Amino acid sequence: MFVPYRERSVQVGMRVRVYRNLLKPNFFSIQAMEGPDKGKVVGYARAVGLENVRFVVSKKTWERVISEGVRTVFAFADGALVDCLEALPAGFDERITLMPFERCYFFNRQRPEIPVTEAARGYLFGADFWAAAEPAGLDL
């Protein structure tokens, strides 16, 4: 469910930037990257569905977080808004996460040594981005 901020809104398909809300850890902040509220937070949601996702980390801000212990937003997911829900829907089981005190990049929890910079579709929920597992190919 989308919770609007200051009566702002966003439409499905619009490009948004989504990041974990530091004051409300169960919510994600949704920032419009186009439209009349471009660059502004338009609302919050517990689960945010995105397509054509790009994971971005500001290395300079991450270094400051590590050296000074300052909590600030330094990473986000950028993509086209699909929907906002209360919980993670079924079918998304690939966990992509960011653990700033271990690595300065997003990674799949099954393969933490490999940075992940994009995903086709998934949901930000809890502490992770949940993507659909790719169907296994046939060995012929």
Side-chain angles (χ1 to χ4, degrees):
M1 179 174 79
F2 178 77
V3 179
Y5 178 69
R6 294 191 177 177
E7 299 180 20
R8 296 175 185 157
S9 65
V10 67
Q11 303 300 315
V12 169
M14 287 179 71
R15 195 170 132 247
V16 295
R17 179 175 288 174
V18 182
Y19 53 89
R20 192 109 179 253
N21 187 302
L22 297 176
L23 301 176
K24 301 176 195 174
N26 292 330
F27 285 86
F28 288 92
S29 294
I30 304 166
Q31 182 180 18
M33 298 311 293
E34 60 185 12
D37 294 315
K38 181 179 179 180
K40 296 178 183 174
V41 171
V42 293
Y44 310 95
R46 291 184 191 271
V48 181
L50 298 175
E51 287 183 333
N52 302 318
V53 184
R54 189 172 58 96
F55 299 107
V56 180
V57 176
S58 167
K59 189 160 184 180
K60 184 175 180 178
T61 307
W62 172 79
E63 288 170 349
R64 193 179 78 207
V65 166
I66 298 303
S67 67
E68 298 175 12
V70 176
R71 284 182 51 156
T72 189
V73 175
F74 65 91
F76 55 87
D78 185 308
L81 182 68
V82 173
D83 59 10
C84 295
L85 305 171
E86 280 295 308
L88 180 69
F92 296 89
D93 52 8
E94 291 287 324
R95 291 176 73 182
I96 298 168
T97 195
L98 176 71
M99 294 181 175
F101 294 102
E102 291 183 26
R103 294 170 177 80
C104 68
Y105 55 83
F106 286 87
F107 60 91
N108 184 309
R109 288 192 181 219
Q110 299 297 331
R111 297 177 302 283
E113 67 284 353
I114 302 171
V116 175
T117 58
E118 56 188 31
R121 182 183 169 120
Y123 283 83
L124 288 150
F125 178 73
D128 301 305
F129 179 85
W130 297 78
E134 295 295 325
L138 296 175
D139 292 329
L140 301 177

